[in-house]
Amino acid sequence: MTRRRFWSLRPASTGEATDAILANLLLHWFPARMRLTSIAWTPSFWLGTVTWVLFVLLLLSGLPLMVFYVPSTREAYQSIKDIEHVVSFGWWIRAAHRIAAHLMVIVVSLHLVRVFLTGAYKNAGQREQHREWNWVIGVAMLVGTLLLSFTGYLLPWDQLAFWAVTVSMNIVSSTLLVGPAIRDALIGGREIGQTALMRFYLLHIVVVPIAMAVLFAYHMWRVRKDGGLARGDAPQDAAEVVVAIPAVARRVTVVALLTWLVVTVLALVIPSPLEEAANALVTPNPAKAPWYFLWLQEIVADTTVRIGSVAVNGAFIGGVVLPMALLVLLTLWPWLDRSPAATVGATLPRERRTQVLVFIAIAAIVIVLTGVGLLRGPSWQFYWPWQPWANVPTRF
Ligand code: HEM
């Protein structure tokens, strides 16, 4: 084995590159060999890697925020104000953290769409594969991403945070039988106060990040064990095989730097919101859920039926039954998809046309409802982005 103190950017031979990987803890993460199709820019668009880079950026920007943030209802708001106005570059680090969080929700969804459209959860049969399990792990990571973002939402302890979480908790607690128990476990009672803030904080900085890191390690291990990115069962072409290092390391670096650049630039131009300090006695009008749950809030608002003086709350059907059914459907999809293995990697194959249409229809409904939710203003009326909101008195 060639001994070098540092790994060479230009290994002299395939053997030297492989040795370097085996001898180095960091490089060991990469497979020694990889198919060229697995590191192509398309069809994966590297969306999974971008999601992961965003997660790492969240960890990196979260650490300095943690130094200044105080998870107490009396001090949280002021500590965010200090980060925003007193701490050097605090506003920028906070903005980068927020932008990366929002982008992670968007990019992980795009990654899911790409995996679905290429049928990459299907086993193409060359060897023992369990791609369907990676899909299930992916669904867990999608939920983890939403939880990561949602638990962070409360931390600034301003009106926006307080009421967005209040609205979401009202929806959660309407789940039949288990709703109140889930709400109590999350916020420690009926009201959002110190216990809720501390639990959200711990979930946000410890529990969910660790769970995500473990799931990600398994996710990538599975990709490796399943023989790289999914493709049809065409015999392996010798010309397709490349040495992973340095080609893959170079591409990961490019993807990471580009992602970092986009987050940095967006953080410079998009200021982070900070409203009045949280006040349980003043309900803002409108009180909206975070944007990625707006489609649920929209369904809840639209499915509340009034019969005379009785209101049948839409929260249970629209806010709980429907999204849970969608989540179960999403998780089980690989087992419901009976199309032949040859469709893996193909774009819109005839055999998968119906399911692709169903998937696109559901995605379109979610996107349209989110758009509608974004356009809601005071008293749940529609306003175009350029229209000023009516000065409706706040409800007490
Ligand atoms: C934090 C969330 C996630 C991260 C960091 C992540 C990361 C990755 C990465 C880096 C890859 C390698 C290829 C690529 O970049 O596309 C990958 C592949 C894969 N991901 Fe994810 N992923 C996440 C969420 C999901 C979700 C939500 C799903 C679907 C429900 C999913 C299902 C899969 C599958 C099935 C593969 C194998 C794809 C193939 O063989 O072509 N992942 N993931």
Side-chain angles (χ1 to χ4, degrees), residues 1 7 11 13-24 32-33 243 245:
M1 186 189 275
W7 166 63
S13 66
T14 305
E16 187 183 331
T18 310
D19 286 351
I21 296 163
L22 294 177
N24 180 304
R33 280 167 172 271
V243 175
I245 300 281

Side-chain angles (χ1 to χ4, degrees), residues 65-97:
L65 292 179
M66 231 163 87
V67 173
F68 298 101
Y69 178 75
V70 186
S72 121
T73 51
R74 267 184 292 163
E75 290 173 71
Y77 181 70
Q78 188 55 46
S79 67
I80 294 282
K81 268 197 150 175
D82 287 347
I83 290 172
E84 198 58 38
H85 302 291
V86 182
V87 176
S88 309
F89 296 107
W91 62 272
W92 178 67
I93 295 173
R94 176 169 175 240
H97 196 73

Side-chain angles (χ1 to χ4, degrees), residues 270-299:
I270 303 179
S272 315
L274 189 61
E275 297 190 356
E276 306 274 293
N279 187 342
L281 299 177
V282 179
T283 316
N285 185 1
K288 286 193 189 185
W291 66 266
Y292 39 82
F293 289 148
L294 276 181
W295 62 283
L296 289 179
Q297 193 178 4
E298 196 57 42
I299 297 175

